[in-house]
Amino acid sequence: MGVIVAVDGPAGSGKSSVSRAAAAALGYDFLDTGAAYRALAWRVLEQGADPEDATAVERALDGFAFESAGDPAERWVRVDGVDVTDAIRTPSVTAAVSGIARVPAVRTRLNDGFRARLAAAEPGVVAEGRDITTVVAPHADVRVLLTASPEVRAARRAKELPDEDRSAVARSMAERDAKDSRVVDFLEAAEGVTTLDSTDLDFDGTVDALVALVRQTADVEQVR
């Protein structure tokens, strides 16, 4: 088993982009666990089911075949062989994800898949997403809570969504965090988890800080 780096954090913290860049710098695989939940949410909606209906969501798990790129230089997600890379980022899917994630059977099924991918990654993997540091990979070599002030997170997310009002973006982020926190606590670092506050760091500085943390914490012989 290679080095496992687990990164969690609130919406807008940059955990996806930072984790991907850090994986590339380290020569590791990359795993976006949130993409799997989005992919299942897309499947539920495609089936015309209600994402708040736990029974319907569990039915959508039958035959659910999820694939995503492990190479951080690649960006693709497939469900049942269909490319859904862009489709899972639509507002309708985003709105459905929290309901999907609250279904225990979903979390059990997807977490098992995540753990299998983590165990197979060589020489290492950077995995990001909700409860990755506490539930999915509590024994990861490096566990990080990536965060920033609410104002900075909202400003960063607003730059990604130039057509939307900044205050609306901030409200949306706060609502998503509130919904997701009903399932798992990702706003406070658990014991053994290192907090990386990027409020005063730019993107490159945050990536450098994460890479440095991995090199300081993990077995240096396994890190490029």
Side-chain angles (χ1 to χ4, degrees):
M1 181 184 294
V3 174
I4 297 176
V5 182
V7 182
D8 200 347
S13 62
K15 58 184 179 294
S16 292
S17 54
V18 169
S19 295
R20 182 184 295 275
L26 291 162
Y28 286 2
D29 286 351
F30 171 67
L31 175 60
D32 174 2
T33 62
Y37 287 96
R38 286 177 171 273
L40 182 59
W42 174 86
R43 195 174 201 243
V44 170
L45 295 174
E46 281 292 295
Q47 294 177 347
D50 181 358
E52 296 295 330
D53 182 343
T55 300
V57 171
E58 288 187 31
R59 281 198 299 267
L61 279 171
D62 292 338
F64 176 58
F66 168 77
E67 300 174 280
S68 65
D71 185 338
E74 299 180 5
R75 294 173 183 264
W76 56 262
V77 177
R78 300 186 188 119
V79 174
D80 307 329
V82 177
D83 189 311
V84 295
T85 308
D86 295 327
I88 64 171
R89 300 296 171 181
T90 60
S92 60
V93 169
T94 298
V97 170
S98 292
I100 297 292
R102 286 198 294 271
V103 179
V106 169
R107 303 191 75 80
T108 297
R109 166 79 174 275
L110 296 188
N111 285 345
D112 286 345
F114 299 151
R115 293 186 185 109
R117 287 189 60 173
L118 295 180
E122 290 287 353
V125 56
V126 179
E128 63 88 5
R130 292 283 186 260
D131 72 13
I132 192 76
T133 62
T134 55
V135 178
V136 179
H139 304 299
D141 300 278
V142 183
R143 295 187 296 154
V144 178
L145 178 72
L146 179 61
T147 189
S149 70
E151 297 78 14
V152 168
R153 290 191 288 112
R156 290 172 180 169
R157 181 56 58 86
K159 286 184 179 180
E160 299 173 358
L161 303 168
D163 296 331
E164 297 190 27
D165 178 72
R166 179 173 294 190
S167 60
V169 171
R171 285 196 302 273
S172 176
M173 286 175 51
E175 290 170 0
R176 179 182 171 191
D177 281 344
K179 288 181 180 179
D180 290 352
S181 64
R182 297 173 192 166
V183 180
V184 62
D185 182 8
F186 54 87
L187 299 176
E188 298 291 336
E191 183 177 357
V193 176
T194 300
T195 298
L196 175 54
D197 191 327
S198 67
T199 300
D200 297 320
L201 298 174
D202 61 11
F203 177 77
D204 289 340
T206 306
V207 173
D208 289 345
L210 178 55
V211 170
L213 182 61
V214 173
R215 288 181 169 148
Q216 291 166 6
T217 307
D219 183 346
V220 293
E221 292 183 359
Q222 298 186 64
V223 181
R224 292 184 181 181

